Amino acid sequence: MKSIEIKDLSLSFGDLKVLEQLNLDIFDGEFLVLLGASGCGKSTLLNCIAGLLDISEGQIFIKGNNVTWKEPKDRDIGMVFQSYALYPQMSVYGNLSFGLKNAGVPKAQIAERVARAAAILQIEPLLKRKPSELSGGQRQRVAIGRALVREVDVFLFDEPLSNLDAKLRAELRVEIKRLHQRLNNTMIYVTHDQIEALTLADRIAIMLGGSVQQLDTPHAIYNHPVNKYVAGFIGSPGMNFMKGALSGGDNPHFTIDGLNVDLSRYAFGEQGVQPTNSAWLGIRPEHVHVGKEADGLAFTHEVEVEVVEPMGADTLVWSQLANQEFRFRVGGQKTVTPGEKLIVGFDPISASVFDGHSELRL
């Protein structure tokens, strides 16, 4: 069952088109993440769903009801902002209950809802404190709690963790996932952080220039990106891209500065293999094998280590392959030094091939 339907939505500010003919269906109980770089339109889309921006064209349906021109308070949504937006003069209890009081909810019901939200978010000891007496993580829990007490079907999160330090961000990310598993409400979450997207989402909508580039599960987007932009945006560190020529026929090859990569095991799309002098071969650093692990792979080559970045559990190594930047991972306990020569290899079945002009996956 569809929880939210967005039909042919467009939004312009004067001559500037921010969203154009956007269509998106979000299912009941789904956790959808809108992911993209700054300026891609993800927060704008969220604000349109919330009713904080008037759209230029199109329609928005929530639970089958056309809410295109309804006020935010009439859309049956709860929204959590990046900036917490708490009332500094009120206690945590006051912040949680304020909206309910204004809506005329009976006191007993307010107390029950606040107690339930506080228990879920583990903030019961904080109910008498003012926001100034709370840490950033505690303030964000209160902001989430203010949405929870409304007992709505749809929750909207606008980069709620971006103001927190890395450790606290990771902790609250887990709490938000637990919250979704417990409530099973529809949640739409905006972020520019791909780790948040991959760990939280049932599906991810990757946005660029006001349009959705790919809408799919984290697994599908990571392993089968539809274009070079998506491939480069997902993954940390990003995918290696090498520009070369693609030959067709029954035994396709990718040629990079004289090196040949056998692509006979690569799964090309329905259009098949079309020879071109301009194509991209992408391989993720974690799909590169080193040393004896590279034995027997379809492609192997020797590279020289340029830069080493220890990252604890593993080490990121920077090198050159066919005069193009090439990164790969090795185990964190393996000693690697600049200037060292290593044999690297990969299986093209783990690679991605993109057209050099359209940058679409082949």
Side-chain angles (χ1 to χ4, degrees):
M1 181 179 175
K2 295 176 183 177
S3 180
I4 296 176
E5 296 175 75
I6 298 168
K7 298 182 178 181
D8 299 322
L9 189 149
S10 296
L11 176 67
S12 300
F13 297 118
D15 294 332
L16 176 64
K17 294 182 178 180
V18 182
L19 300 172
E20 189 169 7
Q21 295 294 302
L22 194 147
N23 290 278
L24 186 62
D25 290 336
I26 303 159
F27 300 104
D28 195 33
E30 183 175 31
F31 198 123
L32 180 82
V33 173
L34 302 176
L35 175 66
S38 297
C40 71
K42 56 187 186 298
S43 289
T44 301
L45 174 57
L46 195 77
N47 287 330
C48 290
I49 297 171
L52 300 177
L53 288 173
D54 291 334
I55 65 175
S56 305
E57 295 178 18
Q59 294 177 306
I60 300 172
F61 294 82
I62 297 180
K63 291 294 183 180
N65 298 314
N66 190 335
V67 300
T68 308
W69 304 112
K70 285 189 177 182
E71 294 296 320
K73 64 182 178 61
D74 299 322
R75 297 195 179 202
D76 199 31
I77 58 169
M79 190 159 184
V80 181
F81 298 93
Q82 175 183 349
S83 60
Y84 314 140
L86 301 178
Y87 298 108
Q89 74 277 17
M90 294 183 183
S91 65
V92 169
Y93 187 95
N95 272 278
L96 294 176
S97 62
F98 183 72
L100 299 179
K101 289 178 181 176
N102 283 347
V105 177
K107 285 186 178 180
Q109 195 174 345
I110 291 175
E112 181 183 337
R113 290 192 192 183
V114 170
R116 183 163 59 247
I120 291 173
L121 297 167
Q122 300 177 13
I123 56 174
E124 296 109 317
L126 309 178
L127 291 176
K128 294 182 180 179
R129 295 189 191 179
K130 298 284 182 66
S132 60
E133 301 172 306
L134 305 178
S135 67
Q138 290 169 336
R139 292 181 194 179
Q140 194 56 276
R141 287 173 190 264
V142 175
I144 294 172
R146 192 169 52 187
L148 276 186
V149 296
R150 297 198 60 209
E151 296 186 348
V152 294
D153 292 319
V154 177
F155 291 101
L156 308 179
F157 294 86
D158 189 8
E159 302 199 46
L161 308 183
S162 59
N163 288 338
L164 306 177
D165 62 67
K167 184 175 183 296
L168 190 54
R169 200 159 58 234
E171 292 173 356
L172 272 183
R173 191 171 67 227
V174 174
E175 291 303 318
I176 290 174
K177 188 152 192 172
R178 283 180 178 153
L179 181 66
H180 179 252
Q181 290 172 348
R182 181 169 180 175
L183 300 177
N184 200 34
N185 292 63
T186 303
M187 295 186 177
I188 307 175
Y189 188 103
V190 165
T191 184
H192 61 270
D193 187 325
Q194 56 165 300
I195 301 301
E196 287 181 17
L198 289 168
T199 54
L200 287 172
D202 295 321
R203 288 192 303 163
I204 300 172
I206 297 186
M207 298 187 65
L208 175 67
S211 66
V212 175
Q213 299 290 298
Q214 186 170 2
L215 173 62
D216 215 325
T217 64
H219 182 270
I221 287 178
Y222 178 81
N223 290 290
H224 299 284
V226 297
N227 58 35
K228 184 172 176 281
Y229 175 80
V230 172
F233 198 87
I234 288 288
S236 180
M239 182 180 282
N240 293 301
F241 292 111
M242 294 165 286
K243 194 158 192 179
L246 179 64
S247 64
D250 296 330
N251 190 23
H253 279 71
F254 190 90
T255 305
I256 320 165
D257 196 28
L259 298 178
N260 286 318
V261 181
D262 183 359
L263 294 179
S264 56
R265 297 184 67 230
Y266 179 80
F268 284 94
E270 294 179 358
Q271 74 275 21
V273 187
Q274 300 297 324
T276 175
N277 290 324
S278 179
W280 292 94
L281 177 70
I283 187 75
R284 297 198 181 280
E286 50 270 33
H287 292 157
V288 178
H289 299 270
V290 182
K292 292 182 178 180
E293 294 180 2
D295 292 347
L297 294 177
F299 176 80
T300 59
H301 194 68
E302 184 180 77
V303 298
E304 181 177 334
V305 176
E306 293 184 346
V307 177
V308 178
E309 288 187 294
M311 303 174 73
D314 55 20
T315 297
L316 181 63
V317 181
W318 295 67
S319 65
Q320 294 278 323
L321 179 62
N323 297 315
Q324 299 185 50
E325 187 178 273
F326 191 76
R327 295 160 295 175
F328 54 93
R329 294 179 183 271
V330 298
Q333 304 306 313
K334 183 177 177 62
T335 302
V336 181
T337 56
E340 183 178 351
K341 302 287 181 66
L342 296 173
I343 298 295
V344 299
F346 57 85
D347 187 341
I349 203 169
S350 301
S352 296
V353 181
F354 306 97
D355 181 81
H357 302 290
S358 68
E359 297 191 346
L360 296 175
R361 183 184 184 89
L362 298 176

